[in-house]
Amino acid sequence: MKLKSEALRQSILTTTTQLLISQGIEGTSTVKVAKKLDISQSNIYSYFKNKQMLLLAVFSQHQAKLITALQPLLELQLRPVQQIDALITGLIEFGLQHPQSIQLILLFRQQPQIRPILPTIQDDPFFDALFTKIEHFQQLNVIKNYNPQFLAEGVFSMVVNYLLFQTTGELTDQPLSQQDVVTLIHGFLLTGNK
């Protein structure tokens, strides 16, 4: 049996991340990862049972970074709209600091064949607490009473689009600030009752 190395495991995840960003899910394979790292494909399988497990590990690694960034904001004791604004701003800041993580989370969430195998809200205490808070804010009539997952996806999409426009420089004619994005999300998310 081969000895496992955390450094090699991390190199596999990093290389897979790079391939996913440049070639997408369909264009990424364990053969390509092994070739890029100059190792045998069997080395990858000593860490990850198959391509699906490798992809889930990459997704989990990037989602864990996001959770680490947003967890303290979720724990703040703020009024509902302030709490929402802190989370939106935190998501924007995270995306500016970790664009690959945002790109990968989006890439996985947009794949109908992969989405069902991703961790669910109940699988993670952070997301469980986040959606409990969303439902509580709906009961307070602060957040519109639509499906919480749909609302969260909508907020995530607006932030991702903002980050994409910022990265590509497409907002030079009509600049859009982070506060402008928060205001747009307010219109999508909030009832108007603060």
Side-chain angles (χ1 to χ4, degrees):
M1 181 172 162
K2 295 177 183 163
L3 291 175
K4 292 186 177 182
S5 154
E6 184 54 35
L8 179 55
R9 182 181 185 283
Q10 191 53 52
S11 292
I12 292 168
L13 291 172
T14 300
T15 301
T16 304
T17 294
Q18 293 165 351
L19 283 170
L20 286 165
I21 297 281
S22 65
Q23 299 182 22
I25 291 173
E26 293 300 319
T28 300
S29 69
T30 54
V31 171
K32 288 180 180 179
V33 173
K35 185 174 181 179
K36 214 164 164 62
L37 286 170
D38 198 25
I39 61 173
S40 70
Q41 189 177 9
S42 64
N43 278 347
I44 294 171
Y45 292 131
S46 67
Y47 293 89
F48 307 98
K49 184 178 175 183
N50 53 39
K51 178 183 174 182
Q52 180 175 309
M53 296 306 290
L54 173 58
L55 294 177
L56 283 174
V58 169
F59 176 82
S60 295
Q61 181 183 52
H62 290 278
Q63 183 168 276
K65 284 182 188 178
L66 175 64
I67 290 168
T68 299
L70 297 183
Q71 181 75 48
L73 302 173
L74 187 63
E75 294 169 358
L76 295 173
Q77 298 299 314
L78 301 171
R79 292 188 6 236
V81 175
Q82 291 173 321
Q83 178 96 70
I84 292 163
D85 290 356
L87 288 164
I88 294 167
T89 304
L91 180 58
I92 292 170
E93 288 299 321
F94 176 81
L96 292 171
Q97 294 169 13
H98 304 280
Q100 281 191 338
S101 292
I102 290 291
Q103 287 175 313
L104 280 175
I105 292 167
L106 179 65
L107 176 68
F108 281 91
R109 303 254 345 126
Q110 289 179 329
Q111 301 299 314
Q113 72 276 19
I114 291 190
R115 223 173 137 125
I117 63 170
L118 295 177
T120 65
I121 292 165
Q122 295 78 22
D123 291 335
D124 188 277
F126 170 80
F127 286 106
D128 195 38
L130 175 64
F131 281 90
T132 298
K133 193 160 278 211
I134 291 170
E135 290 166 359
H136 176 67
F137 291 167
Q138 286 179 319
Q139 291 167 359
L140 295 174
N141 198 29
V142 174
I143 292 180
K144 293 176 182 173
N145 196 22
Y146 295 115
N147 178 291
Q149 287 179 267
F150 178 79
L151 292 173
E153 290 282 344
V155 170
F156 186 75
S157 294
M158 291 172 106
V159 169
V160 168
N161 283 331
Y162 171 71
L163 294 168
L164 178 64
F165 272 71
Q166 286 294 100
T167 303
T168 59
E170 294 179 62
L171 292 174
T172 54
D173 292 347
Q174 288 183 305
L176 196 62
S177 71
Q178 287 185 23
Q179 187 54 51
D180 292 332
V181 175
V182 171
T183 301
L184 286 168
I185 291 172
H186 280 190
F188 168 75
L189 190 63
L190 303 182
T191 61
N193 298 326
K194 299 180 183 184

